[in-house]
Amino acid sequence: MARYLDVHPDNPQPRLLQQIVTALRDDDALIAYPTDSGYALGCRVGNRDGRDRILKIRGLDDKHHFTLVCRDFSQLGQLVHVDNAAFRAIRAATPGPYTFILPGMPEVPRRLLHPKKKTVGVRIPDHTFVQALLAELGEPLLTSTLILPGETEPRTMGWEIKEDLDHEVDIVVEAGETPAEPTTVVDWSEGVPEVLRRGAGDPDRF
């Protein structure tokens, strides 16, 4: 059964943050957690089993574009190639509800890259809990929006996720209200922006 942790939305309790980080590091936990664009599934980047569990829960194949959730732009820049035009646009739009698809650096495990394009999604959420968790973890989080098969919007209620995925995730985090709109996805891998999904972030800026 999944642990259910009620985290303060404005002042996340250090004790609970440490419990989540310990589970991610020591137990290869898979967590369901709130972001600025609905709930997401997350695990450590090196957690192979966690990646496979995300694909299974979401009913996805190996071509799925995973997202690496970063604390700040410097961390993002260590994971993907960002040219000058993309740098300025992405810097101006973050933190916020955007996912950017860019060519991965050698530090990104190949199993997380798109099999043909060698790209990966990256994003910097504007969310107090996520920022606090990433600061405590000290590394990016491998993530995918929690949209279940047959559904079109991300989940927004922690207690519902606990009921539906009680035996499929290890921790469900509750941390205040969460919007139901997924991120806006912008593909920068070809040097010019292509909006692949219109979501919570304003796509017109690209």
Side-chain angles (χ1 to χ4, degrees):
M1 291 176 60
R3 292 162 62 194
Y4 187 80
L5 299 179
D6 195 353
V7 178
H8 194 283
D10 300 318
N11 298 290
Q13 303 92 318
R15 173 181 57 86
L16 296 182
L17 289 172
Q18 188 55 57
Q19 286 182 27
I20 298 167
V21 167
T22 298
L24 287 167
R25 284 182 180 154
D26 297 349
D27 304 327
D28 276 345
L30 176 63
I31 67 172
Y33 69 101
T35 76
D36 54 352
S37 60
Y39 264 79
L41 297 166
C43 64
R44 288 187 69 201
V45 171
N47 184 347
R48 289 173 176 266
D49 180 59
R51 168 194 175 275
D52 295 342
R53 290 168 70 188
I54 290 172
L55 292 176
K56 181 180 178 182
I57 290 170
R58 291 209 51 200
L60 300 169
D61 60 25
D62 284 343
K63 296 183 177 65
H64 174 62
H65 253 123
F66 277 96
T67 298
L68 302 176
V69 174
C70 304
R71 182 185 180 192
D72 52 31
F73 202 86
S74 63
Q75 192 176 69
L76 181 151
Q78 296 171 10
L79 300 169
V80 289
H81 292 280
V82 187
D83 64 25
N84 288 336
F87 177 93
R88 289 190 294 271
I90 295 172
R91 191 71 182 263
T94 54
Y98 294 93
T99 298
F100 301 99
I101 295 175
L102 290 156
M105 299 281 261
E107 290 79 3
V108 179
R110 291 190 62 175
R111 67 182 180 278
L112 304 183
L113 298 174
H114 187 279
K116 289 185 178 180
K117 298 180 180 179
K118 307 305 179 190
T119 50
V120 70
V122 286
R123 90 178 200 87
I124 305 170
D126 185 13
H127 193 276
T128 301
F129 164 74
V130 181
Q131 286 290 334
L133 177 63
L134 292 170
E136 188 71 25
L137 184 62
E139 61 184 272
L141 202 59
L142 175 65
T143 286
S144 182
T145 305
L146 181 41
I147 301 175
L148 295 178
E151 299 181 356
T152 58
E153 293 183 344
R155 290 297 184 97
T156 62
M157 306 293 289
W159 64 270
E160 286 184 347
I161 296 167
K162 173 79 164 75
E163 285 187 354
D164 293 345
L165 299 179
D166 201 20
H167 297 285
E168 298 185 65
V169 300
D170 302 304
I171 294 175
V172 177
V173 178
E174 182 75 63
E177 292 187 11
T178 305
E181 200 169 8
T183 58
T184 291
V185 179
V186 183
D187 188 340
W188 272 96
S189 61
E190 300 296 330
V192 292
E194 179 186 359
V195 177
L196 301 184
R197 180 177 72 193
R198 290 175 173 265
D202 179 10
D204 293 339
R205 67 192 305 162
F206 302 103

